[in-house]
Amino acid sequence: MSNCSDHNLCINSALTEAEKICNQKNIRFTDLRRTVLKIIWQNHKAIKAYDILDQISGMNFSAKPPTVYRALDFLLENGFIHKINSLNSYIGCPHPLQNEQCYFIICSSCDEIEECSDENITNAIKTVMEKNKFTHKNIAIEIDGTCNSCLENRK
Ligand SMILES: [Zn+2]
Ligand SMILES: [Zn+2]
């Protein structure tokens, strides 16, 4: 999938954005939180918690698993990352302030995930929720398949 030309820009903007939001909310963007976010952003693929733990333990962090899980919860709560339920993994969010209406397309060939947002889908879901008199909290839509560049490569 790789829609970015320079992934360092993705990483930098994600970290800068997170830092900015933390400053605005007056919450601490600790070294561990930053490192976990950076690990998750190493590519556009989802990463499992134990792979994050693995990479952390290879660094100079004395962080125990519960601390890392707390950092993950923090990143989730603040919208800096999303959980991909079908893969039981985490992915960085490129626009943490506007993630109410996002869904994910997951390429099962290159494993890359793209976050998309579409008002029409959100509105359709809201209408259905109203019809069912259900108050939703999270909307998670995960669509798996093959991205265009993987399809092209197969030819
Ligand atoms: Zn990128
Ligand atoms: Zn692909």
Side-chain angles (χ1 to χ4, degrees), residues 1-3 43-45 105-107 110-114:
M1 209 129 52
S2 267
N3 291 318
N43 51 37
H44 288 281
K45 299 172 187 181
I105 46 180
I106 304 167
C107 178
C110 66
D111 292 329
E112 290 205 354
I113 298 176
E114 197 181 342

Side-chain angles (χ1 to χ4, degrees), residues 2-11 41 43-44:
S2 267
N3 291 318
C4 70
S5 48
D6 182 357
H7 189 58
N8 282 323
L9 292 178
C10 301
I11 300 174
W41 265 105
N43 51 37
H44 288 281

Side-chain angles (χ1 to χ4, degrees), residues 83-97:
K83 187 163 189 193
I84 303 293
N85 295 312
S86 61
L87 300 171
N88 195 22
S89 312
Y90 301 90
I91 184 116
C93 176
H95 40 72
L97 286 178

Side-chain angles (χ1 to χ4, degrees), residues 3-61:
N3 291 318
C4 70
S5 48
D6 182 357
H7 189 58
N8 282 323
L9 292 178
C10 301
I11 300 174
N12 286 340
S13 85
L15 291 175
T16 312
E17 184 79 343
E19 178 140 35
K20 204 171 84 191
I21 295 169
C22 284
N23 282 337
Q24 280 164 0
K25 292 185 177 172
N26 229 339
I27 40 183
R28 282 183 63 215
F29 194 41
T30 60
D31 275 352
L32 181 69
R33 289 168 174 173
R34 171 189 296 275
T35 304
V36 172
L37 186 60
K38 204 171 171 184
I39 289 173
I40 293 172
W41 265 105
Q42 62 193 290
N43 51 37
H44 288 281
K45 299 172 187 181
I47 183 167
K48 286 187 190 298
Y50 63 72
D51 288 325
I52 298 171
L53 284 170
D54 231 38
Q55 294 192 30
I56 292 272
S57 66
M59 295 173 180
N60 278 333
F61 274 103

Side-chain angles (χ1 to χ4, degrees), residues 105-112 143-147 150 154:
I105 46 180
I106 304 167
C107 178
S108 41
S109 179
C110 66
D111 292 329
E112 290 205 354
I143 302 164
D144 72 295
T146 316
C147 76
C150 286
R154 262 182 219 170

